[in-house]
Amino acid sequence: MKKRIGLLVMAYGTPYKESDIEAYYTDIRHGKKPSTEEIEDLKARYEFIGGLSPLARITNNQANALCEALNETYSDVEFKLYIGLKHIHPFIEDAVQSMHEDGITEAVTVVLAPHYSSFSVGSYDTRAEQEADKYGITLTHVQHYYHQPQFIQYWSEKINETLSQIPQEEHDDTVLVVSAHSLPKGLIERNNDPYPTELHETAQLLEQNTHIKHVAEGWQSEGNTGTPWLGPDVQYLTKSLYEQHGYKHFIYTPVGFVCEHLEVLYDNDYECKVVCDEIGANYYRPVMPNTDPLFIGAIVEEIKSVY
Ligand code: FEC
């Protein structure tokens, strides 16, 4: 008889329909309603990427693929999947409540984000813990998986494949931009948060495992809070790398994200591409991990190390 436990997969969440956008954005702003102009701006970005984001669909596919892989890997445990989102239903709390209703007393949690920050993964975990405490459910958290060999292998293969499209003699004129979502700088520094170090280690591992000659680290998708965020921003970085080195090819790997969604399809594929077009350089962005077996395998390995 297998032991039955919960698998709580947590992710950012995205509007399911246009009329969800305002409430979703208000939730991101901790309940403070954005201005009409900000809402219109966000709507325009969603429209630009085709109406809405593919994030909801891909999150479901990733969670199902992970649960299936875990059930194949563990002979003595049966994982039952629950999806809990940060900014839209089913919220993290809804998922924990469903576990309780199903009689689950133990669960493994994982956030669909590879690097740990107390402001990203840590805040998901805290919300899950607070709800689980009400029902006496024990949670084991995966904190990060950026260092897992299969995660690095996924991105390394994609980078080498992209490099193979660029003439060999121009590899010295090619740079890899490794990025994650920016966060407010003050918060990160005051809390000695591991987030910037984890991105740096990811960039180093990619440099060691690929044929790329030049690697730069950047931050993207920063919010508009009037305070400094982690930088350099990828757009600014693109311009300054071009001014300093005259690179002809820019390969963007937004490794802080795990699938195609607004922040990749707009902030990379539109905004960074605009800068590349301006400076006359070529823009490349390999396909995101989505449900690639190497990506799913990386999370399975990390779960095996904690549970
Ligand atoms: O495809 C989609 O529909 C949703 C894509 C999406 C992902 C995502 C991931 C992260 N965020 C993180 C932090 C912040 C902070 C603020 C913030 C604001 C937004 C807005 C949208 C949005 N984020 Fe997001 N984020 C995604 C979408 N994010 C939309 C609001 C408009 C805008 O600023 O563009 C700033 C809040 C504020 O204004 O006060 C902070 C972090 C991640 C990566 C980790 C994770 O996935 O949890 C960190 C995907």
Side-chain angles (χ1 to χ4, degrees), residues 201-257:
E201 282 172 13
T202 312
Q204 284 180 318
L205 286 165
L206 295 178
E207 189 165 14
Q208 286 158 18
N209 285 279
T210 60
H211 307 306
I212 196 85
K213 293 187 177 164
H214 309 290
V215 177
E217 289 161 46
W219 300 93
Q220 64 176 90
S221 319
E222 80 173 40
N224 189 10
T225 51
T227 54
W229 285 52
L230 293 172
D233 180 82
V234 283
Q235 285 170 270
Y236 170 84
L237 178 65
T238 303
K239 277 186 209 137
S240 70
L241 285 169
Y242 178 73
E243 280 159 16
Q244 285 167 38
H245 306 282
Y247 293 130
K248 293 181 185 149
H249 305 278
F250 287 75
I251 305 175
Y252 295 84
T253 50
V255 297
F257 300 123

